[in-house]
Amino acid sequence: MRYTKTIHKYLSIFLGMVILSFGLFNIHSRCNVTEGGVLGASLLFDEWFNVSPSITALIMDSTCFIIGIYAMGFSFLRDSIFASISFSLCYRFFENVTGPLIPVIDNLLLAAILGACFVGIGVGLAVRNGCAAGGDDAISLALNKLFKIKVSSTYLFLDTIVLILSLSYIPFNQIFYSLISVWLSGFIIERFHSGSISS
């Protein structure tokens, strides 16, 4: 029974990373609708320095996981490393093997909503299983456990900082759609974390 639960847990986390990387590659990175936190920062580095998110996300995640270890323990680190590596491998797969699987979405509102659903569900599956899909997830979960700060509040703060920096390559009028995306994805993740949506 214990092994069945463990297998289900890791399959759920991996499925989340497939969903997350699919949405980031096929929607966010191609429609100029960005995310906040480490996900948005990885897209920012891709735009600024042409460094793949499969690399930058892994580096930034590893630096943030230290906070998560302090608050959540080493099992959190083990599961989060699995999630982070899974994301990087899945993103690399979509980037180099399949290529874009859906056409570019011209309607930015639709792109923001669809992208947020992929991010919210993907990250939500990881968070629901007690790990972080990225560094900002680790910080959000740690602050929630240590100081009872709502996960969605930390996301909103970190996302806003990244979105301000994203003005360097995204027109101001498009940031509005990114705000919709980060708010909606944060809302979905909070539902997973609170147990309103089960995995």
Side-chain angles (χ1 to χ4, degrees), residues 21-95:
S21 57
F22 180 91
L24 279 179
F25 177 71
N26 284 282
I27 299 176
H28 283 82
S29 66
R30 300 178 63 225
C31 299
N32 276 340
V33 175
T34 191
E35 268 293 325
V38 169
L39 295 175
S42 66
L43 295 174
L44 191 64
F45 278 104
D46 186 26
E47 182 67 28
W48 283 357
F49 306 112
N50 197 29
V51 180
S52 170
S54 66
I55 297 170
T56 54
L58 189 60
I59 293 172
M60 287 186 284
D61 287 345
S62 62
T63 60
C64 294
F65 285 159
I66 296 172
I67 299 173
I69 297 170
Y70 173 75
M72 313 289 286
F74 280 97
S75 62
F76 165 83
L77 174 64
R78 178 197 62 216
D79 295 345
S80 297
I81 289 173
F82 173 78
S84 184
I85 292 173
S86 296
F87 167 78
S88 292
L89 292 175
C90 290
Y91 195 98
R92 179 66 73 177
F93 176 78
F94 290 125
E95 191 176 45

Side-chain angles (χ1 to χ4, degrees), residues 124 127-128 141 144 150-151 187-198:
V127 167
R128 184 76 175 124
L141 290 171
N144 175 260
K150 287 185 69 173
V151 168
F187 175 82
I188 295 171
I189 294 166
E190 182 70 46
R191 300 288 75 75
F192 274 93
H193 181 255
S194 66
S196 299
I197 302 175
S198 63

Side-chain angles (χ1 to χ4, degrees), residues 123 127 136-137 139-145 148-158 186 189-190 193-194:
V123 173
V127 167
D136 48 326
D137 305 327
I139 293 172
S140 298
L141 290 171
L143 291 178
N144 175 260
K145 184 168 184 178
K148 305 305 178 188
I149 299 173
K150 287 185 69 173
V151 168
S152 55
S153 298
T154 304
Y155 277 123
L156 185 60
F157 174 74
L158 295 174
I189 294 166
E190 182 70 46
H193 181 255
S194 66

